Amino acid sequence: MSDPRAELEAAPWSGPTRRYDLIKEGVVALLILTIIVTALSTLFGSPDDKQITFKQWAVAAPADFFATSVQELAGTSGTAGYGAPYNTASVGVNLGPIHLAKIMGVTHPIDTVNDFVITPLTTVANAAPVADALKQWQGSDAKTQSTWATNYDTALSKANQDPTKVPAGDFGPVPQLAAGLLTMAQAGSLDGALLSQGNYFQSDYTKQTLFLGDGGYFSDQSTASNLQGSTWGMMNETGRYPGQAWLWLYSFWYQIPPFNNSNSHPFGANADAWIMVIMGALSLGLICMPLIPGVRSLPYKIKIHRLVWKDYYQEQNL
Amino acid sequence: MSADIEKEMWTSKLRKSWQKNLPVEKLLPDTQPSYVASWIYLFGVATLAALALIIASGLVLSFEGASWYHFSRVGHFVNSLHFWAVQFFFIFMVVHLWGKFWMAAWRGRRLLTWITGALAFVGSIATAFTGYLIQSNFDSQWISYEAKDGFNSVGIGSRFNVTNFGQMILLHVAFLPVIIGVITIIHVLLVRAKGVVPPIDAFNKELGERK
Ligand code: HEM
């Protein structure tokens, strides 16, 4: 490097020095911080709002659970229509012409009909109407199944999710299946069936998390805890605790147009992808900041460093 | 004769460059330049202290298992230590980052010190995020449900699945802390090897005289 200032700044310091005990500084810092953190932990503890179970959902909001089960059968739920990486039902969000999710493919296949409803139902001994309904469903072809489920799903939403107000129609065994799943969930056995998925060891909760999210109950709970992304929820914690405040910039983009409007094309509708790209670029910018003209000159123009080195500047008459 | 042998060897090359760049007197010095006299210099060390607390409390949590803190009072307390230490870790690191920015502390061939610091920052956010995912409570259910859309939208979700508890817990307690640890060690060793960056105008006189 030919820049003489950089040479001098890189060379070992030959000016005045002072005594400085690095190890003592570190040990004292650790001790003080341990005391502060212990005090805060004793006084305030930490957040731990109980997990939501399918049992809780089905007991607290049976109509919502019932309608969601029907949507899973009809293929109208959020998960059923998601696209990659769960299925091929939609192309998913895009970055202009690029559909990255679709390119990466279906890596975590989810078949909402069987994974969420039919298979769990087969793991328990069902009452006669449900057992008959299962038999009827399993004995029919996919097209008939889909017609039944779609008919009932449409009728149910017209009846404001109230099964008692649905007029008679060509629904096949769909109402009985959804009712059977509701009974199973209220008894608590759906949690186990979704968790184990026929296995002994299982540590992937993708399926139950997506099912839970398809309903309205889960989202309502998070609204009540101020966790919705549209209201800075990404930075919040349950209860009165600080959350991931360091995500403020990531969260920020979701609050402003066009990203806060999921109906605006092309950016709002694909906000997730564009914000990922923006944050990726900004992170790269932070890492390479000393190389970026303009930004790297700011500390020379706004002389906050004179405060840091106040004594030195005074001594040296700078 | 022995010099001839040494010349060829990787081992001796490493030793010599180590001795040259980071002799133990530089690693553990008794003095610092007189300009190292501001509270802002405490924030790097404070960040290190917070990291040490995070690792210590995290190790206890690991030994007891993922659900311990939900039913044990002691467990909940250790979880609280971990939680608050993380909050301080980020506060200290952000003040440290801004401090180093306004001091233009990348001057004099300290670019790599900045880069390793910034990598530690980005990596810490990823690590903390996986921590929030494995709380196994309502918060982690919701965060994983929401965050999946972000990662799926750019295809990352196909490999990094935030709703896969097993994957997240392994990354949080094994892979990510090792990465943060290694980056931090390199960062601090670089600071020691290069020495603390001099004030921006420190060499005005020398450069004036030269001209
Ligand atoms: C894991 C997080 C980090 C730890 C544990 C850490 C630790 C340290 C320590 C102990 C020092 C020396 C004392 C001091 O000047 O404060 C230091 C210096 C430095 N840090 Fe960090 N740091 C971290 C993150 C960062 C970040 C995010 C940046 C900026 C992007 C950064 C940039 C720097 C620079 C440029 C120096 C050299 C300062 C000089 O030569 O005067 N560090 N760091």
Side-chain angles (χ1 to χ4, degrees):
Chain A
M1 229 193 263
S2 53
D3 178 0
R5 190 184 292 275
E7 289 295 332
L8 288 167
E9 286 170 345
W13 178 250
S14 52
T17 59
R18 60 187 285 241
R19 267 168 60 99
Y20 204 109
D21 195 340
L22 287 176
I23 298 297
K24 188 171 168 189
E25 182 189 33
V27 172
V28 171
L30 184 58
L31 283 179
I32 294 178
L33 187 65
T34 307
I35 294 170
I36 297 175
V37 167
T38 308
L40 285 170
S41 301
T42 314
L43 288 175
F44 302 115
S46 48
D48 192 18
D49 278 23
K50 266 202 168 335
Q51 52 194 299
I52 290 181
T53 60
F54 282 88
K55 177 176 178 170
Q56 184 185 334
W57 175 18
V59 169
D64 177 45
F65 180 89
F66 185 88
T68 307
S69 309
V70 175
Q71 287 164 16
E72 303 297 4
L73 287 173
T76 53
S77 70
T79 304
Y82 196 96
Y86 310 121
N87 50 48
T88 52
S90 92
V91 288
V93 296
N94 61 59
L95 291 164
I98 309 167
H99 293 77
L100 286 171
K102 200 179 156 212
I103 292 170
M104 296 305 286
V106 179
T107 47
H108 301 87
I110 297 180
D111 162 10
T112 59
V113 175
N114 289 304
D115 291 340
F116 293 171
V117 185
I118 303 300
T119 309
L121 276 175
T122 59
T123 62
V124 289
N126 292 294
V130 183
D132 291 344
L134 256 183
K135 240 183 247 150
Q136 189 187 359
W137 179 271
Q138 285 165 334
S140 359
D141 55 53
K143 205 171 150 234
T144 318
Q145 291 172 344
S146 157
T147 310
W148 286 334
T150 311
N151 287 348
Y152 191 57
D153 183 34
T154 315
L156 188 62
S157 46
K158 263 190 206 142
N160 253 331
Q161 302 204 342
D162 183 351
T164 59
K165 299 228 167 77
V166 177
D170 180 19
F171 307 139
V174 172
Q176 288 77 21
L177 290 174
L181 199 71
L182 178 64
T183 311
M184 188 178 167
Q186 286 173 333
S189 35
L190 182 59
D191 285 289
L194 284 172
L195 174 66
S196 74
Q197 291 164 29
N199 297 313
Y200 183 86
F201 293 109
Q202 208 289 109
S203 62
D204 182 354
Y205 298 1
T206 305
K207 285 179 182 163
Q208 52 268 62
T209 305
L210 268 83
F211 189 0
L212 194 61
D214 283 338
Y217 179 73
F218 188 36
S219 180
D220 292 345
Q221 302 307 302
S222 97
T223 306
S225 298
N226 291 317
L227 295 180
Q228 294 287 355
S230 51
T231 54
W232 299 93
M234 198 188 281
M235 292 165 59
N236 291 347
E237 246 297 351
T238 53
R240 301 175 67 180
Y241 289 95
Q244 300 185 73
W246 44 91
L247 293 181
W248 70 271
L249 189 54
Y250 199 108
S251 192
F252 164 77
W253 301 104
Y254 283 97
Q255 320 304 320
I256 59 159
F259 301 120
N260 61 356
N261 177 5
S262 58
N263 295 320
S264 102
H265 285 268
F267 297 110
N270 299 295
D272 283 326
W274 285 110
I275 292 174
M276 260 290 171
V277 170
I278 292 174
M279 289 310 291
L282 288 177
S283 302
L284 203 66
L286 174 73
I287 292 166
C288 309
M289 221 222 8
L291 304 174
I292 302 175
V295 188
R296 67 174 174 196
S297 314
L298 280 177
Y300 295 88
K301 292 185 181 129
I302 305 169
K303 297 179 186 290
I304 295 176
H305 64 90
R306 278 186 164 265
L307 293 175
V308 173
W309 292 307
K310 199 173 62 206
D311 296 349
Y312 181 83
Y313 275 73
Q314 256 163 23
E315 278 162 29
Q316 304 288 319
N317 271 323
L318 283 163
Chain B
M1 156 81 193
S2 72
D4 275 355
I5 299 170
E6 278 184 17
K7 222 177 179 177
E8 303 299 322
M9 296 207 313
W10 296 7
T11 311
S12 45
K13 274 188 191 160
L14 175 64
R15 184 184 62 243
K16 281 176 186 161
S17 122
W18 189 326
Q19 277 170 346
K20 180 165 159 269
N21 292 311
L22 195 58
V24 74
E25 293 78 17
K26 262 192 177 178
L27 185 64
L28 298 171
D30 295 323
T31 62
Q32 287 295 314
S34 62
Y35 55 79
V36 184
S38 163
W39 52 265
I40 195 71
Y41 285 106
L42 295 176
F43 280 85
V45 186
T47 315
L48 266 184
L51 184 59
L53 263 184
I54 292 172
I55 292 171
S57 52
L59 269 175
V60 178
L61 289 172
S62 306
F63 270 94
E64 298 292 345
S67 48
W68 178 53
Y69 91 88
H70 299 292
F71 57 77
S72 152
R73 277 180 63 104
V74 181
H76 192 85
F77 178 72
V78 177
N79 181 69
S80 304
L81 293 178
H82 200 63
F83 173 85
W84 288 107
V86 169
Q87 293 292 332
F88 279 105
F89 175 71
F90 275 98
I91 294 171
F92 293 155
M93 183 164 32
V94 168
V95 176
H96 176 68
L97 188 161
W98 280 107
K100 296 307 165 195
F101 174 75
W102 292 114
M103 290 149 83
W106 55 79
R107 287 171 292 123
R109 305 210 184 114
R110 288 171 180 83
L111 175 61
L112 206 53
T113 314
W114 175 274
I115 290 179
T116 49
L119 283 173
F121 179 67
V122 176
S124 299
I125 290 177
T127 312
F129 172 68
T130 54
Y132 278 85
L133 290 173
I134 60 165
Q135 293 174 91
S136 50
N137 58 17
F138 170 59
D139 200 39
S140 61
Q141 284 177 308
W142 180 251
I143 295 176
S144 64
Y145 181 70
E146 283 283 277
K148 74 175 193 315
D149 296 331
F151 291 100
N152 287 342
S153 71
V154 287
I156 298 173
S158 64
R159 294 286 168 275
F160 179 80
N161 177 10
V162 293
T163 48
N164 183 340
F165 178 80
Q167 187 188 10
M168 291 306 118
I169 199 166
L170 289 171
L171 292 178
H172 182 75
V173 302
F175 176 69
L176 289 167
V178 171
I179 299 284
I180 299 295
V182 170
I183 293 176
T184 304
I185 290 170
I186 296 175
H187 182 69
V188 174
L189 291 184
L190 277 171
V191 178
R192 287 287 91 241
K194 307 265 172 188
V196 180
V197 73
I200 290 186
D201 299 303
F203 300 107
N204 284 0
K205 281 179 199 147
E206 282 86 339
L207 291 166
E209 279 161 19
R210 261 193 209 177
K211 270 179 198 160

PDB file of all heavy atoms in Angstrom, chain B residues 177-201:
ATOM      1  N   PRO B 177     -23.049 -21.913  17.451  1.00  0.00           N
ATOM      2  CA  PRO B 177     -22.131 -21.405  18.474  1.00  0.00           C
ATOM      3  C   PRO B 177     -20.658 -21.630  18.120  1.00  0.00           C
ATOM      4  O   PRO B 177     -19.808 -20.804  18.435  1.00  0.00           O
ATOM      5  CB  PRO B 177     -22.498 -22.199  19.732  1.00  0.00           C
ATOM      6  CG  PRO B 177     -23.833 -22.763  19.472  1.00  0.00           C
ATOM      7  CD  PRO B 177     -23.983 -22.904  17.998  1.00  0.00           C
ATOM      8  N   VAL B 178     -20.381 -22.740  17.453  1.00  0.00           N
ATOM      9  CA  VAL B 178     -18.986 -22.989  17.060  1.00  0.00           C
ATOM     10  C   VAL B 178     -18.538 -21.919  16.071  1.00  0.00           C
ATOM     11  O   VAL B 178     -17.446 -21.345  16.195  1.00  0.00           O
ATOM     12  CB  VAL B 178     -18.833 -24.406  16.457  1.00  0.00           C
ATOM     13  CG1 VAL B 178     -17.453 -24.586  15.851  1.00  0.00           C
ATOM     14  CG2 VAL B 178     -19.093 -25.459  17.523  1.00  0.00           C
ATOM     15  N   ILE B 179     -19.411 -21.618  15.102  1.00  0.00           N
ATOM     16  CA  ILE B 179     -19.081 -20.577  14.122  1.00  0.00           C
ATOM     17  C   ILE B 179     -18.844 -19.236  14.821  1.00  0.00           C
ATOM     18  O   ILE B 179     -17.841 -18.556  14.586  1.00  0.00           O
ATOM     19  CB  ILE B 179     -20.242 -20.415  13.110  1.00  0.00           C
ATOM     20  CG1 ILE B 179     -20.480 -21.720  12.356  1.00  0.00           C
ATOM     21  CG2 ILE B 179     -19.984 -19.261  12.159  1.00  0.00           C
ATOM     22  CD1 ILE B 179     -19.479 -22.002  11.299  1.00  0.00           C
ATOM     23  N   ILE B 180     -19.780 -18.859  15.707  1.00  0.00           N
ATOM     24  CA  ILE B 180     -19.637 -17.583  16.414  1.00  0.00           C
ATOM     25  C   ILE B 180     -18.348 -17.591  17.239  1.00  0.00           C
ATOM     26  O   ILE B 180     -17.593 -16.621  17.255  1.00  0.00           O
ATOM     27  CB  ILE B 180     -20.842 -17.335  17.360  1.00  0.00           C
ATOM     28  CG1 ILE B 180     -22.137 -17.262  16.557  1.00  0.00           C
ATOM     29  CG2 ILE B 180     -20.652 -16.071  18.175  1.00  0.00           C
ATOM     30  CD1 ILE B 180     -22.214 -16.112  15.610  1.00  0.00           C
ATOM     31  N   GLY B 181     -18.099 -18.706  17.924  1.00  0.00           N
ATOM     32  CA  GLY B 181     -16.891 -18.818  18.747  1.00  0.00           C
ATOM     33  C   GLY B 181     -15.632 -18.619  17.913  1.00  0.00           C
ATOM     34  O   GLY B 181     -14.753 -17.822  18.271  1.00  0.00           O
ATOM     35  N   VAL B 182     -15.548 -19.318  16.801  1.00  0.00           N
ATOM     36  CA  VAL B 182     -14.342 -19.234  15.964  1.00  0.00           C
ATOM     37  C   VAL B 182     -14.172 -17.818  15.413  1.00  0.00           C
ATOM     38  O   VAL B 182     -13.078 -17.238  15.474  1.00  0.00           O
ATOM     39  CB  VAL B 182     -14.412 -20.275  14.816  1.00  0.00           C
ATOM     40  CG1 VAL B 182     -13.307 -20.031  13.805  1.00  0.00           C
ATOM     41  CG2 VAL B 182     -14.321 -21.687  15.380  1.00  0.00           C
ATOM     42  N   ILE B 183     -15.277 -17.237  14.910  1.00  0.00           N
ATOM     43  CA  ILE B 183     -15.180 -15.878  14.352  1.00  0.00           C
ATOM     44  C   ILE B 183     -14.731 -14.898  15.443  1.00  0.00           C
ATOM     45  O   ILE B 183     -13.883 -14.035  15.215  1.00  0.00           O
ATOM     46  CB  ILE B 183     -16.541 -15.422  13.780  1.00  0.00           C
ATOM     47  CG1 ILE B 183     -16.898 -16.263  12.554  1.00  0.00           C
ATOM     48  CG2 ILE B 183     -16.496 -13.946  13.384  1.00  0.00           C
ATOM     49  CD1 ILE B 183     -18.264 -15.957  11.989  1.00  0.00           C
ATOM     50  N   THR B 184     -15.289 -15.048  16.646  1.00  0.00           N
ATOM     51  CA  THR B 184     -14.941 -14.138  17.737  1.00  0.00           C
ATOM     52  C   THR B 184     -13.464 -14.266  18.103  1.00  0.00           C
ATOM     53  O   THR B 184     -12.775 -13.262  18.318  1.00  0.00           O
ATOM     54  CB  THR B 184     -15.823 -14.415  18.968  1.00  0.00           C
ATOM     55  OG1 THR B 184     -17.190 -14.314  18.570  1.00  0.00           O
ATOM     56  CG2 THR B 184     -15.546 -13.436  20.072  1.00  0.00           C
ATOM     57  N   ILE B 185     -12.976 -15.499  18.164  1.00  0.00           N
ATOM     58  CA  ILE B 185     -11.566 -15.689  18.507  1.00  0.00           C
ATOM     59  C   ILE B 185     -10.671 -15.023  17.456  1.00  0.00           C
ATOM     60  O   ILE B 185      -9.735 -14.282  17.783  1.00  0.00           O
ATOM     61  CB  ILE B 185     -11.241 -17.193  18.647  1.00  0.00           C
ATOM     62  CG1 ILE B 185     -11.919 -17.738  19.917  1.00  0.00           C
ATOM     63  CG2 ILE B 185      -9.737 -17.428  18.703  1.00  0.00           C
ATOM     64  CD1 ILE B 185     -11.890 -19.246  20.042  1.00  0.00           C
ATOM     65  N   ILE B 186     -10.990 -15.246  16.178  1.00  0.00           N
ATOM     66  CA  ILE B 186     -10.195 -14.608  15.117  1.00  0.00           C
ATOM     67  C   ILE B 186     -10.252 -13.090  15.263  1.00  0.00           C
ATOM     68  O   ILE B 186      -9.234 -12.394  15.181  1.00  0.00           O
ATOM     69  CB  ILE B 186     -10.703 -15.033  13.722  1.00  0.00           C
ATOM     70  CG1 ILE B 186     -10.512 -16.537  13.531  1.00  0.00           C
ATOM     71  CG2 ILE B 186      -9.979 -14.263  12.626  1.00  0.00           C
ATOM     72  CD1 ILE B 186     -11.096 -17.074  12.244  1.00  0.00           C
ATOM     73  N   HIS B 187     -11.460 -12.573  15.525  1.00  0.00           N
ATOM     74  CA  HIS B 187     -11.675 -11.128  15.675  1.00  0.00           C
ATOM     75  C   HIS B 187     -10.768 -10.556  16.764  1.00  0.00           C
ATOM     76  O   HIS B 187     -10.044  -9.580  16.547  1.00  0.00           O
ATOM     77  CB  HIS B 187     -13.152 -10.911  16.014  1.00  0.00           C
ATOM     78  CG  HIS B 187     -13.586  -9.484  16.151  1.00  0.00           C
ATOM     79  ND1 HIS B 187     -13.661  -8.623  15.087  1.00  0.00           N
ATOM     80  CD2 HIS B 187     -14.003  -8.770  17.236  1.00  0.00           C
ATOM     81  CE1 HIS B 187     -14.100  -7.437  15.504  1.00  0.00           C
ATOM     82  NE2 HIS B 187     -14.313  -7.501  16.810  1.00  0.00           N
ATOM     83  N   VAL B 188     -10.800 -11.189  17.928  1.00  0.00           N
ATOM     84  CA  VAL B 188     -10.037 -10.654  19.060  1.00  0.00           C
ATOM     85  C   VAL B 188      -8.530 -10.812  18.817  1.00  0.00           C
ATOM     86  O   VAL B 188      -7.740  -9.906  19.130  1.00  0.00           O
ATOM     87  CB  VAL B 188     -10.478 -11.330  20.375  1.00  0.00           C
ATOM     88  CG1 VAL B 188      -9.600 -10.885  21.530  1.00  0.00           C
ATOM     89  CG2 VAL B 188     -11.939 -11.001  20.674  1.00  0.00           C
ATOM     90  N   LEU B 189      -8.123 -11.945  18.231  1.00  0.00           N
ATOM     91  CA  LEU B 189      -6.692 -12.124  17.936  1.00  0.00           C
ATOM     92  C   LEU B 189      -6.221 -11.081  16.924  1.00  0.00           C
ATOM     93  O   LEU B 189      -5.101 -10.561  17.027  1.00  0.00           O
ATOM     94  CB  LEU B 189      -6.418 -13.534  17.415  1.00  0.00           C
ATOM     95  CG  LEU B 189      -6.575 -14.663  18.449  1.00  0.00           C
ATOM     96  CD1 LEU B 189      -6.179 -16.004  17.841  1.00  0.00           C
ATOM     97  CD2 LEU B 189      -5.752 -14.388  19.710  1.00  0.00           C
ATOM     98  N   LEU B 190      -7.071 -10.755  15.961  1.00  0.00           N
ATOM     99  CA  LEU B 190      -6.709  -9.721  14.983  1.00  0.00           C
ATOM    100  C   LEU B 190      -6.507  -8.374  15.670  1.00  0.00           C
ATOM    101  O   LEU B 190      -5.552  -7.641  15.362  1.00  0.00           O
ATOM    102  CB  LEU B 190      -7.805  -9.579  13.917  1.00  0.00           C
ATOM    103  CG  LEU B 190      -7.770 -10.575  12.760  1.00  0.00           C
ATOM    104  CD1 LEU B 190      -9.042 -10.449  11.922  1.00  0.00           C
ATOM    105  CD2 LEU B 190      -6.541 -10.337  11.895  1.00  0.00           C
ATOM    106  N   VAL B 191      -7.412  -8.053  16.620  1.00  0.00           N
ATOM    107  CA  VAL B 191      -7.269  -6.787  17.332  1.00  0.00           C
ATOM    108  C   VAL B 191      -5.935  -6.747  18.066  1.00  0.00           C
ATOM    109  O   VAL B 191      -5.201  -5.755  18.016  1.00  0.00           O
ATOM    110  CB  VAL B 191      -8.423  -6.576  18.332  1.00  0.00           C
ATOM    111  CG1 VAL B 191      -8.237  -5.283  19.113  1.00  0.00           C
ATOM    112  CG2 VAL B 191      -9.759  -6.554  17.618  1.00  0.00           C
ATOM    113  N   ARG B 192      -5.597  -7.852  18.728  1.00  0.00           N
ATOM    114  CA  ARG B 192      -4.331  -7.892  19.463  1.00  0.00           C
ATOM    115  C   ARG B 192      -3.144  -7.801  18.500  1.00  0.00           C
ATOM    116  O   ARG B 192      -2.167  -7.105  18.755  1.00  0.00           O
ATOM    117  CB  ARG B 192      -4.230  -9.176  20.294  1.00  0.00           C
ATOM    118  CG  ARG B 192      -5.107  -9.250  21.520  1.00  0.00           C
ATOM    119  CD  ARG B 192      -4.626  -8.357  22.669  1.00  0.00           C
ATOM    120  NE  ARG B 192      -5.187  -7.022  22.658  1.00  0.00           N
ATOM    121  CZ  ARG B 192      -4.496  -5.901  22.542  1.00  0.00           C
ATOM    122  NH1 ARG B 192      -3.191  -5.942  22.417  1.00  0.00           N
ATOM    123  NH2 ARG B 192      -5.077  -4.737  22.552  1.00  0.00           N
ATOM    124  N   ALA B 193      -3.212  -8.512  17.378  1.00  0.00           N
ATOM    125  CA  ALA B 193      -2.086  -8.533  16.446  1.00  0.00           C
ATOM    126  C   ALA B 193      -1.856  -7.164  15.826  1.00  0.00           C
ATOM    127  O   ALA B 193      -0.714  -6.724  15.653  1.00  0.00           O
ATOM    128  CB  ALA B 193      -2.331  -9.574  15.361  1.00  0.00           C
ATOM    129  N   LYS B 194      -2.940  -6.458  15.502  1.00  0.00           N
ATOM    130  CA  LYS B 194      -2.786  -5.171  14.798  1.00  0.00           C
ATOM    131  C   LYS B 194      -2.590  -4.020  15.771  1.00  0.00           C
ATOM    132  O   LYS B 194      -2.166  -2.937  15.369  1.00  0.00           O
ATOM    133  CB  LYS B 194      -4.036  -4.876  13.963  1.00  0.00           C
ATOM    134  CG  LYS B 194      -4.431  -5.995  13.026  1.00  0.00           C
ATOM    135  CD  LYS B 194      -3.869  -5.768  11.656  1.00  0.00           C
ATOM    136  CE  LYS B 194      -4.118  -6.997  10.796  1.00  0.00           C
ATOM    137  NZ  LYS B 194      -3.443  -6.948   9.523  1.00  0.00           N
ATOM    138  N   GLY B 195      -2.968  -4.205  17.032  1.00  0.00           N
ATOM    139  CA  GLY B 195      -2.935  -3.097  17.974  1.00  0.00           C
ATOM    140  C   GLY B 195      -4.152  -2.216  17.770  1.00  0.00           C
ATOM    141  O   GLY B 195      -4.782  -2.250  16.715  1.00  0.00           O
ATOM    142  N   VAL B 196      -4.490  -1.447  18.798  1.00  0.00           N
ATOM    143  CA  VAL B 196      -5.694  -0.618  18.731  1.00  0.00           C
ATOM    144  C   VAL B 196      -5.473   0.538  17.757  1.00  0.00           C
ATOM    145  O   VAL B 196      -4.430   1.188  17.780  1.00  0.00           O
ATOM    146  CB  VAL B 196      -6.047  -0.080  20.131  1.00  0.00           C
ATOM    147  CG1 VAL B 196      -7.296   0.783  20.072  1.00  0.00           C
ATOM    148  CG2 VAL B 196      -6.239  -1.233  21.093  1.00  0.00           C
ATOM    149  N   VAL B 197      -6.467   0.776  16.916  1.00  0.00           N
ATOM    150  CA  VAL B 197      -6.302   1.761  15.843  1.00  0.00           C
ATOM    151  C   VAL B 197      -6.071   3.169  16.409  1.00  0.00           C
ATOM    152  O   VAL B 197      -6.729   3.586  17.365  1.00  0.00           O
ATOM    153  CB  VAL B 197      -7.525   1.738  14.902  1.00  0.00           C
ATOM    154  CG1 VAL B 197      -8.744   2.362  15.552  1.00  0.00           C
ATOM    155  CG2 VAL B 197      -7.205   2.409  13.581  1.00  0.00           C
ATOM    156  N   PRO B 198      -5.103   3.907  15.866  1.00  0.00           N
ATOM    157  CA  PRO B 198      -4.812   5.259  16.356  1.00  0.00           C
ATOM    158  C   PRO B 198      -5.919   6.236  15.965  1.00  0.00           C
ATOM    159  O   PRO B 198      -6.660   5.982  15.020  1.00  0.00           O
ATOM    160  CB  PRO B 198      -3.515   5.645  15.635  1.00  0.00           C
ATOM    161  CG  PRO B 198      -3.024   4.419  14.961  1.00  0.00           C
ATOM    162  CD  PRO B 198      -4.183   3.497  14.799  1.00  0.00           C
ATOM    163  N   PRO B 199      -6.018   7.366  16.676  1.00  0.00           N
ATOM    164  CA  PRO B 199      -7.007   8.386  16.332  1.00  0.00           C
ATOM    165  C   PRO B 199      -6.866   8.835  14.873  1.00  0.00           C
ATOM    166  O   PRO B 199      -5.780   8.754  14.296  1.00  0.00           O
ATOM    167  CB  PRO B 199      -6.668   9.536  17.278  1.00  0.00           C
ATOM    168  CG  PRO B 199      -6.028   8.871  18.444  1.00  0.00           C
ATOM    169  CD  PRO B 199      -5.287   7.696  17.905  1.00  0.00           C
ATOM    170  N   ILE B 200      -7.967   9.314  14.318  1.00  0.00           N
ATOM    171  CA  ILE B 200      -7.997   9.651  12.894  1.00  0.00           C
ATOM    172  C   ILE B 200      -6.935  10.682  12.511  1.00  0.00           C
ATOM    173  O   ILE B 200      -6.311  10.579  11.466  1.00  0.00           O
ATOM    174  CB  ILE B 200      -9.418  10.151  12.514  1.00  0.00           C
ATOM    175  CG1 ILE B 200     -10.386   8.953  12.560  1.00  0.00           C
ATOM    176  CG2 ILE B 200      -9.432  10.812  11.149  1.00  0.00           C
ATOM    177  CD1 ILE B 200     -11.787   9.231  12.081  1.00  0.00           C
ATOM    178  N   ASP B 201      -6.700  11.677  13.382  1.00  0.00           N
ATOM    179  CA  ASP B 201      -5.754  12.737  13.025  1.00  0.00           C
ATOM    180  C   ASP B 201      -4.365  12.533  13.639  1.00  0.00           C
ATOM    181  O   ASP B 201      -3.557  13.457  13.654  1.00  0.00           O
ATOM    182  CB  ASP B 201      -6.314  14.092  13.474  1.00  0.00           C
ATOM    183  CG  ASP B 201      -7.635  14.387  12.774  1.00  0.00           C
ATOM    184  OD1 ASP B 201      -7.638  14.390  11.528  1.00  0.00           O
ATOM    185  OD2 ASP B 201      -8.665  14.566  13.453  1.00  0.00           O
TER     186      ASP B 201
END
